[in-house]
Amino acid sequence: MDHFLYRDGLLHAEDVALTEIAASVGTPFYCYSTATLTRHFRLFQDALAGLDHLVCFAIKSLSNQAVLRTLGNLGAGMDVVSGGEYRRAQAAGVPGERIVFSGVGKTREEMAYALTHGIRQFNVESAEELRVLSEVATALGKTAPITLRVNPDVDAKTHEKIATGRKEDKFGVPIARAREVYAEAARLPGIEVVGIDVHIGSQLTDLAPFEAAFSKIADLTRELRADGHTIRRLDLGGGLGIPYTRSNETPPLPLDYGAMIRRVLGDLDVEIEIEPGRLIAGNAGVLVSSVLYLKQGEGRDFLILDAAMNDLIRPAMYGAHHDIIPVIEAQAATDQRPVDIVGPVCETGDTFARQRSLPPLAPGDLVAFRSAGAYGAVMASEYNTRPLIPEVLVHGDQYAVIRARPSFDDILNRDTLPAWLESSTP
Ligand code: LLP
């Protein structure tokens, strides 16, 4: 459930009509709902209630500081995958002891920054990284708390590009080698083993792959403890999927996910961490865009929007479906017509949907892409020199721009001419 609903025929974000935001901010823009973010975060809190746990928001999914502050205020930890994301979490006021650092290619600089400013744990992905972290920590006179991310060789049964737990994927230490790498970790200076980490993929719509992976982690916990390691924390990653199509998708609920975690890992006396991104942010955001043209083609019509693949890349990159709905609610009796929904960018990949049924729309009308809160704004680019679009956060009947649209000068001034070109003229 989210808080983007029609009221009096107008799509609202909580108590604010999207037409009102569009009139003041211009289109396209992203709009997020505080109530929905809060609700989704609390679903995980409730699902893990009674277990010692921390819900670390995967900030790669939606990293605006206003969103991080909102979730941080509710007690969320943060999962970061770069020095930049670490700084975002820090700037939003989240203390280091609630920040976990994931990712397959951490640099020495990133490790040193996190060690200096405080870190809950590094999720280390290889023996090679472990050795570098040991060097960096020792040089700083610090101890790095770590888990090893284990690759359990489980197929998450999700999109090829976002499955991460199969042995051919670049992530984690192969589970068969885990004991050997833990033994090395125990010997290395500046390293303190605190637990195990696993993340098998994103947009999982079935609990079975999670359960298969977590069962392997339960066995590994017992083995590592028998080897003498302290395993007091299990980081189970993120990945729980969301419905992208309202009508026919019913992915498992956080409550069922929590019950499964309790069943498989509940008797291990460990602290549980999870790193959800999409389930918290995905349906807490929409992308609002205006119709520029309705173009008649040969045998099909094209609805050309002012949003493009650079603003929301998921359809072009993963063939992803996003529901696209008119901001002014269609009358029940209105005939729907199939159109190809496209953006202005100069490639055919800039197609959001083919032959999607929509009520008749005219230039200037607004549409909203649903489920655009996660992996939307964060994956945007300035391709075709299209400025990054604003982000707006709604809270009840209030709204605020939380990232402004840059001016063309902002963009142009980032380029510099080398000395040998300065005085030349084309
Ligand atoms: N933890 C780790 C280590 C991850 O790599 C990810 C996502 C998450 C947590 C959060 O997963 P979530 O709960 O959001 O599924 N751009 C793609 C998704 C990439 C996911 C990358 N890793 C998309 O638009 O579908």
Side-chain angles (χ1 to χ4, degrees):
M1 200 212 105
D2 60 51
H3 290 76
F4 298 97
L5 298 170
Y6 288 109
R7 275 195 210 163
D8 303 324
L10 275 187
L11 191 62
H12 280 62
E14 303 186 22
D15 299 331
V16 185
L18 291 173
T19 44
E20 183 187 336
I21 303 176
S24 82
V25 174
T27 59
F29 63 91
Y30 278 101
C31 177
Y32 312 124
S33 151
T34 301
T36 313
L37 289 165
T38 304
R39 184 184 129 77
H40 291 165
F41 175 75
R42 292 210 168 117
L43 289 177
F44 281 114
Q45 291 287 62
D46 293 349
L48 298 180
L51 289 175
D52 187 8
H53 73 273
L54 184 67
V55 179
C56 296
F57 177 57
I59 83 175
K60 64 168 76 67
S61 63
L62 174 55
S63 58
N64 190 292
Q65 289 168 58
V67 170
L68 305 186
R69 175 73 63 91
T70 301
L71 293 170
N73 285 349
L74 298 170
M78 302 286 152
D79 168 43
V80 306
V81 292
S82 68
E85 285 194 353
Y86 183 98
R87 284 169 176 82
R88 280 188 179 275
Q90 196 182 23
V94 179
E97 65 262 25
R98 280 202 257 149
I99 302 178
V100 302
F101 204 140
S102 301
V104 74
K106 304 175 196 76
T107 65
R108 285 173 189 266
E109 292 71 26
E110 289 173 328
M111 293 170 178
Y113 191 86
L115 279 168
T116 310
H117 292 87
I119 188 78
R120 180 178 184 81
Q121 93 222 8
F122 292 92
N123 294 331
V124 173
E125 298 228 10
S126 64
E128 293 79 0
E129 180 194 337
L130 189 62
R131 291 171 205 141
V132 170
L133 182 60
S134 165
E135 279 174 30
V136 173
T138 314
L140 290 169
K142 304 259 183 199
T143 300
I146 66 120
T147 69
L148 281 186
R149 177 168 175 181
V150 167
N151 183 322
D153 193 22
V154 169
D155 185 348
K157 302 254 181 326
T158 182
H159 190 282
E160 163 69 19
K161 289 187 180 161
I162 53 177
T164 56
R166 304 162 301 181
K167 62 175 182 299
E168 63 270 30
D169 299 324
K170 69 179 174 180
F171 300 97
V173 174
I175 194 155
R177 288 198 50 217
R179 288 174 73 187
E180 172 192 332
V181 182
Y182 271 95
E184 180 170 359
R187 287 194 303 268
L188 283 171
I191 296 288
E192 183 203 359
V193 171
V194 297
I196 311 174
D197 171 46
V198 68
H199 170 79
I200 60 170
S202 193
Q203 186 54 17
L204 273 73
T205 52
D206 183 358
L207 289 181
F210 282 122
E211 181 159 353
F214 299 168
S215 301
K216 291 188 180 195
I217 297 304
D219 292 343
L220 183 62
T221 303
R222 294 185 190 99
E223 283 170 23
L224 292 173
R225 283 178 171 168
D227 288 347
H229 299 287
T230 303
I231 303 296
R232 55 185 162 88
R233 192 179 283 172
L234 298 180
D235 182 332
L236 305 177
L240 196 56
I242 62 168
Y244 276 95
T245 316
R246 241 108 262 262
S247 41
N248 60 7
E249 278 179 275
T250 47
L253 302 173
L255 212 57
D256 302 328
Y257 171 78
M260 183 271 290
I261 290 175
R262 223 176 281 273
R263 181 157 47 76
V264 179
L265 304 166
D267 62 356
L268 285 174
D269 188 25
V270 280
E271 181 183 7
I272 299 292
E273 288 168 356
I274 55 170
E275 302 169 349
R278 192 189 310 263
L279 198 138
I280 292 178
N283 280 317
V286 295
L287 165 60
V288 179
S289 176
S290 300
V291 174
L292 294 176
Y293 300 102
L294 180 62
K295 169 176 162 169
Q296 269 188 329
E298 190 66 42
R300 65 177 65 214
D301 291 343
F302 296 95
L303 192 70
I304 304 177
L305 303 180
D306 64 357
M309 65 188 288
N310 69 297
D311 304 309
L312 178 68
I313 198 147
R314 302 192 69 261
M317 193 152 175
Y318 313 110
H321 172 101
H322 284 262
D323 280 352
I324 301 170
I325 58 172
V327 167
I328 297 180
E329 191 172 20
Q331 301 299 318
T334 314
D335 275 350
Q336 306 241 336
R337 282 188 299 168
V339 286
D340 282 13
I341 305 173
V342 303
V345 160
C346 300
E347 55 180 281
T348 301
D350 187 22
T351 298
F352 290 121
R354 292 236 185 240
Q355 296 299 287
R356 188 73 71 80
S357 287
L358 276 182
L361 289 167
D365 287 349
L366 299 175
V367 295
F369 290 68
R370 284 189 171 276
S371 316
Y375 307 111
V378 288
M379 293 179 79
S381 76
E382 289 177 346
Y383 186 35
N384 282 205
T385 308
R386 294 168 46 85
L388 290 181
I389 65 178
E391 294 176 281
V392 173
L393 182 64
V394 171
H395 181 221
D397 60 2
Q398 306 173 61
Y399 72 92
V401 174
I402 56 172
R403 187 184 69 194
R405 196 186 305 277
S407 70
F408 286 111
D409 279 349
D410 292 337
I411 295 175
L412 298 182
N413 289 337
R414 289 206 303 263
D415 295 359
T416 49
L417 287 180
W420 67 86
L421 287 176
E422 263 172 11
S423 53
S424 60
T425 45

